[in-house]
Amino acid sequence: MKKTTEKQPARPVATSGVKVQRYFPGKAPDALEHDLSASESESDGGAKRMSASGSAAASAPQSVSIASAKQKRSEDGSIASESDEGFDSEVERVLQARLRARRRANEASSDSSDDGEDGNEQRITATQRATLSKQTHREPALSTSNKGSVASDSESVTTASSSEGSYSDSSDSESEHEAPLMLKPIFVPRSQRQAQPDMLKDSDNDQSSILTPEDVAVERERLARREESVRMAAAEAARAREAPEINASNILDLDDTDDVDIAAEFDAWQQRELLRVKREKDAREAIELEEAERERRNNMSEGEKYAEDMEKVRNQRRKRAQELESLR
Amino acid sequence: MANRTVSTAEAIHGTNPQFLIDKIFRQRIYNSLYWKEHCFGLTVTGVMEKAVDLQAIGREYGESHRPTEFACLLLKLLQLQPDQPMLDALIDQEDFKYLRALAVFYYRLTQPSVDIYTKLEPLYRDYRKLRAFDSGSMQITYMDQLVDSLLTENIVFLITLPHLTRRMTLEDAGEIAPRISPLDGDDSDSDSDSSASE
């Protein structure tokens, strides 16, 4: 059983009277509706302030940036304080800023001519038309019936184009003053999407059968790799046959008996020993050379050292240049 | 229990002598079948007897990188820390080359630099063949080759050898005489003094 309580009249609280922007899917961006209704009052209030800076704004119409809009807004203080619901408020702010800029331009133009009012109305109706067209066609776009969907698809496409056209109209007329209004993305089901790859694919069927040079190269490379692997496998097999690998099982296959051929073994040993002796001798000589060099440099003066280093570097460079020349 | 260094052992190069072999390889040795089966509760004498049956030197063999018996016995020696006379005897004996190789390796791991040079350089004369596992495959190497690598290289059989002072430094310090090669020094003695292998 539900308790039915009488709805009490609202007690005055700090937050009462605040218009809360609630989001639900499918809602049109607030700013447009908002502006459409309250534009007059705003422009009146804003115009006076703007006229002071109007000349500056008119002179630099291009630079209607969000920063300047934000600054104005802070001056206004009317909107910014209340709504801070993230994306929606951002959109709202941007759109309002743009509309305000537009209005300012109108003011400036209206000072010079009388067409300001009419222009204003035209613009309003253009935007109104855009939003209305969007809203009306969103439902049909989401319907699942084929005919309806097809029709609506074409409709949405046409409306998109038409709205774009209207936008372009508006933007043409005042391209200097503001960027075109952005369309809210409408979800199009997969069945109704025009898949982009269709457009990219070539219409003629012969394309797939023609082998490009890249294809040929790829094929050739693949064949080459296959051959290489076959060759390697063959080499492995041959090696295994000739010199079977010694592991724990056939450790004794590798013969380590000594004194099979004493002379040969002795010679081999002698060779090894000679190499070792030579190695030691070379190491000792290298160290002695290093020592001598160090001694010599120690006894030279700074100037002599410098001269010698320069000479060395010069020789090196000359040699390298010669090498490069010979290579070329 | 079975893997602890003997309690009477001294620290070698500042650590537990078993730590001279890196942890990973050490663990693999502990887990190997040969260690568990044959090296349990072994004494130095026991190690000697096992080493006599060695057929190869090296670190590991096969696809699965199983530790060799040589490596197991080496670790066992490190664990037991044979005393000096015993060790000298093992090196001086010439009957069993693989046992000699084992003792030589142990010597290089544990003894001070001067002793290493003094003791191992005479082994340059020994040109007997040894089977050695090296990176999976097995090759023939020689005792003098083994000694040379132990004296000049930092890593042998993937075991990092403790620092060995360079011979030249020791010569300059006067602790060792410069090496006299068996070729130059005593030509009369240059015939091989190796005996037939087992």
Side-chain angles (χ1 to χ4, degrees):
Chain A
M1 271 203 334
K2 275 199 193 157
K3 254 194 255 180
T4 48
T5 44
E6 299 255 342
K7 192 159 191 192
Q8 309 285 342
R11 251 181 299 130
V13 196
T15 51
S16 51
V18 172
K19 181 153 180 157
V20 179
Q21 312 293 337
R22 299 221 184 269
Y23 172 74
F24 55 87
K27 184 179 178 191
D30 258 9
L32 292 177
E33 299 172 359
H34 197 32
D35 271 311
L36 294 175
S37 54
S39 57
E40 296 307 307
S41 56
E42 253 200 69
S43 65
D44 287 350
K48 298 213 180 66
R49 243 168 284 171
M50 287 315 111
S51 58
S53 58
S55 52
S59 61
Q62 192 98 49
S63 63
V64 176
S65 60
I66 300 184
S68 59
K70 280 204 182 131
Q71 195 189 34
K72 274 189 268 125
R73 235 182 317 106
S74 58
E75 290 172 13
D76 277 340
S78 52
I79 300 164
S81 50
E82 287 130 35
S83 60
D84 42 355
E85 289 185 26
F87 174 73
D88 255 39
S89 61
E90 272 299 309
V91 172
E92 184 187 44
R93 268 183 233 145
V94 167
L95 291 167
Q96 279 172 356
R98 292 206 181 112
L99 283 161
R100 231 180 278 126
R102 206 193 282 166
R103 222 147 286 122
R104 241 185 309 109
N106 290 340
E107 295 295 326
S109 59
S110 67
D111 288 340
S112 53
S113 71
D114 286 334
D115 290 343
E117 286 295 312
D118 297 340
N120 221 354
E121 278 180 347
Q122 277 174 13
R123 263 151 222 130
I124 289 169
T125 48
T127 53
Q128 248 178 351
R129 208 192 315 136
T131 42
L132 285 173
S133 64
K134 264 200 296 178
Q135 280 176 338
T136 48
H137 287 285
R138 197 166 297 127
E139 260 100 70
L142 291 173
S143 72
T144 49
S145 63
N146 278 343
K147 237 194 329 174
S149 59
V150 168
S152 68
D153 185 36
S154 54
E155 276 176 351
S156 62
V157 167
T158 49
T159 47
S161 59
S162 70
S163 52
E164 270 170 12
S166 67
Y167 288 154
S168 60
D169 283 349
S170 60
S171 62
D172 277 349
S173 57
E174 35 172 298
S175 54
E176 304 156 318
H177 302 305
E178 68 164 48
L181 285 170
M182 293 190 290
L183 281 172
K184 178 167 177 171
I186 301 170
F187 176 72
V188 179
R190 201 184 305 203
S191 52
Q192 288 148 33
R193 285 182 214 157
Q194 304 286 356
Q196 253 209 326
D198 283 356
M199 294 196 280
L200 297 177
K201 203 189 284 182
D202 247 315
S203 47
D204 38 42
N205 296 330
D206 304 344
Q207 280 294 336
S208 52
S209 57
I210 293 175
L211 287 174
T212 63
E214 295 95 52
D215 292 338
V216 172
V218 162
E219 270 303 315
R220 205 174 293 152
E221 196 187 314
R222 208 178 300 155
L223 281 171
R225 252 183 277 136
R226 212 174 297 157
E227 278 178 32
E228 179 74 36
S229 59
V230 167
R231 216 182 308 135
M232 281 196 344
E236 282 268 348
R239 214 184 313 136
R241 229 182 309 122
E242 251 100 81
E245 186 180 304
I246 314 279
N247 49 25
S249 53
N250 52 2
I251 212 175
L252 297 171
D253 288 351
L254 195 58
D255 190 26
D256 75 337
T257 49
D258 302 307
D259 299 337
V260 177
D261 183 357
I262 297 181
E265 286 175 22
F266 181 75
D267 280 338
W269 170 81
Q270 213 168 17
Q271 289 299 315
R272 275 177 269 134
E273 188 61 28
L274 278 169
L275 282 171
R276 285 194 280 264
V277 169
K278 183 171 190 309
R279 182 187 68 199
E280 285 172 22
K281 194 154 60 94
D282 289 344
R284 212 172 299 133
E285 271 177 20
I287 291 182
E288 281 174 15
L289 272 173
E290 178 88 29
E291 275 293 324
E293 181 69 22
R294 214 178 301 153
E295 274 295 316
R296 196 171 61 84
R297 274 186 77 87
N298 243 343
N299 298 338
M300 285 168 73
S301 73
E302 195 60 42
E304 288 174 10
K305 276 186 216 172
Y306 183 77
E308 218 179 77
D309 288 340
M310 285 295 110
E311 189 59 40
K312 183 173 171 191
V313 167
R314 233 176 282 135
N315 284 337
Q316 270 184 352
R317 290 217 184 110
R318 206 184 310 138
K319 215 185 294 175
R320 208 172 301 150
Q322 283 176 355
E323 282 175 21
L324 287 173
E325 273 301 314
S326 66
L327 282 174
R328 225 175 291 147
Chain B
M1 273 300 298
N3 297 336
R4 299 241 326 255
T5 318
V6 84
S7 51
T8 55
E10 288 175 3
I12 300 288
H13 298 296
T15 65
N16 183 339
Q18 285 195 81
F19 292 176
L20 290 170
I21 295 184
D22 59 289
K23 173 71 186 277
I24 299 171
F25 189 52
R26 214 185 326 136
Q27 282 300 127
R28 286 229 291 278
I29 295 178
Y30 291 152
N31 296 334
S32 71
L33 199 56
Y34 186 80
W35 176 272
K36 288 178 178 171
E37 213 181 309
H38 297 275
C39 300
F40 184 82
L42 221 53
T43 59
V44 180
T45 325
V47 170
M48 270 175 56
E49 288 168 13
K50 297 267 180 222
V52 159
D53 296 329
L54 275 177
Q55 293 296 341
I57 64 177
R59 177 186 168 91
E60 45 201 17
Y61 66 93
E63 284 290 321
S64 45
H65 297 282
R66 239 175 279 172
T68 53
E69 299 175 10
F70 181 83
C72 295
L73 291 175
L74 181 66
L75 186 59
K76 198 70 195 175
L77 274 186
L78 287 169
Q79 202 177 47
L80 296 173
Q81 201 171 73
D83 51 1
Q84 199 69 23
M86 172 74 92
L87 192 54
D88 288 344
L90 288 181
I91 295 185
D92 292 334
Q93 61 84 30
E94 286 178 2
D95 298 323
F96 305 104
K97 57 186 181 180
Y98 288 107
L99 174 58
R100 199 181 217 191
L102 180 67
V104 158
F105 210 105
Y106 178 83
Y107 208 90
R108 171 64 178 88
L109 285 179
T110 55
Q111 304 300 314
S113 306
V114 178
D115 292 347
I116 290 175
Y117 284 116
T118 330
K119 191 80 184 159
L120 297 189
E121 271 177 2
L123 269 74
Y124 272 127
R125 295 160 184 269
D126 188 348
Y127 59 76
R128 282 184 289 187
K129 290 188 224 169
L130 297 167
R131 291 189 198 100
F133 281 111
D134 190 22
S135 58
S137 63
M138 192 157 72
Q139 270 127 33
I140 290 283
T141 182
Y142 304 91
M143 183 72 80
D144 59 293
Q145 193 91 300
L146 174 67
V147 170
D148 189 42
S149 6
L150 285 174
L151 292 182
T152 49
E153 288 167 29
N154 290 328
I155 304 183
V156 173
F157 297 145
L158 290 181
I159 298 171
T160 315
L161 305 174
H163 177 71
L164 181 72
T165 323
R166 288 178 55 223
R167 197 172 211 293
M168 223 162 295
T169 320
L170 290 176
E171 284 174 27
D172 292 342
E175 305 200 19
I176 296 187
R179 182 169 98 90
I180 303 168
S181 163
L183 291 175
D184 323 317
D186 18 38
D187 282 289
S188 54
D189 286 37
S190 52
D191 338 17
S192 75
D193 52 2
S194 64
S195 54
S197 70
E198 272 278 303

